[in-house]
Amino acid sequence: MASPKFHMAVRKYHRWLGFFLAGIMAIYAVSGVLLIFRPTDFLKFDQTEVRQLSQDLNGKQVASKIKVKGLKVVEENDNQVVLNMGTYDKADGVATITRKDYPLVLAKMVKLHKATNNSPLFWLNISFGVALLFFVISAFLMFMPKLPMYKNGLKIAGLGAVVAVLVVMFGS
């Protein structure tokens, strides 16, 4: 049985880590909500990019040079290649691409949430996940096990876990 001193120490670490991570949690929360709407144009704006490519490329060559996800050739003639996101002028080699994307700050937030092990943000995501796991465990170590608050907390946490499992299993 852990002492009251141990429980107070856990409360202190839980509190200070919570204050430290509050900003990170807010950013993850906003980026998570944005990711829900990624198939839509919610908060996205037209962003035009002009690229100089070689002259006289065909549609397939243009698509491979531009390397934009979802880019497709719609039509091609002697003068230009029409893309689903813009055009390419064969005479001067200028490709104009217009696509919808988040403003810079929001785009960076979404990138944070989508980071993989090839990204420097990878370590922040792992550290944040471990810190959240600490929160889960330390929440149960903040109270003495014989107190009603502890027992009620276990019931509520169990209910939350059941709801999460049901939503994951039957929500889609």
Side-chain angles (χ1 to χ4, degrees):
M1 178 76 110
S3 69
K5 192 174 182 178
F6 170 77
H7 292 278
M8 291 307 290
V10 169
R11 289 179 91 137
K12 179 175 74 174
Y13 294 130
H14 185 98
R15 177 178 59 243
W16 287 114
L17 188 59
F19 286 138
F20 176 74
L21 292 175
I24 297 172
M25 284 188 242
I27 289 170
Y28 271 92
V30 170
S31 66
V33 170
L34 284 176
L35 284 173
I36 293 168
F37 296 101
R38 70 180 168 260
T40 71
D41 290 339
F42 179 65
L43 295 180
K44 292 181 182 176
F45 300 94
D46 282 342
Q47 297 184 3
T48 302
E49 179 182 353
V50 177
R51 295 191 194 180
Q52 181 64 52
L53 304 176
S54 303
Q55 297 173 344
D56 293 320
L57 298 175
N58 65 33
K60 191 173 185 180
Q61 291 170 319
V62 170
S64 70
K65 295 263 187 207
I66 293 178
K67 296 181 184 169
V68 171
K69 186 177 180 179
L71 183 75
K72 292 183 177 88
V73 175
V74 175
E75 179 184 330
E76 183 173 356
N77 59 42
D78 292 340
N79 301 327
Q80 76 176 161
V81 176
V82 178
L83 307 162
N84 62 336
M85 297 178 190
T87 60
Y88 164 76
D89 189 319
K90 290 184 178 185
D92 60 12
V94 173
T96 305
I97 309 298
T98 301
R99 55 187 165 161
K100 291 200 179 276
D101 202 1
Y102 297 110
L104 181 64
V105 173
L106 295 180
K108 294 284 186 183
M109 289 172 71
V110 167
K111 192 173 186 180
L112 169 72
H113 224 102
K114 295 166 73 176
T116 65
N117 63 336
N118 297 324
S119 167
L121 298 172
F122 162 72
W123 292 106
L124 178 63
N125 286 349
I126 288 178
S127 301
F128 185 61
V130 168
L132 288 179
L133 189 58
F134 168 77
F135 275 9
V136 169
I137 295 167
S138 67
F140 294 103
L141 300 175
M142 291 173 65
F143 302 99
M144 299 296 282
K146 57 188 167 202
L147 293 176
M149 173 90 61
Y150 181 83
K151 292 175 182 164
N152 289 336
L154 283 176
K155 291 174 188 171
I156 293 169
L159 180 63
V162 168
V163 167
V165 167
L166 290 173
V167 168
V168 168
M169 297 300 290
F170 303 108
S172 55

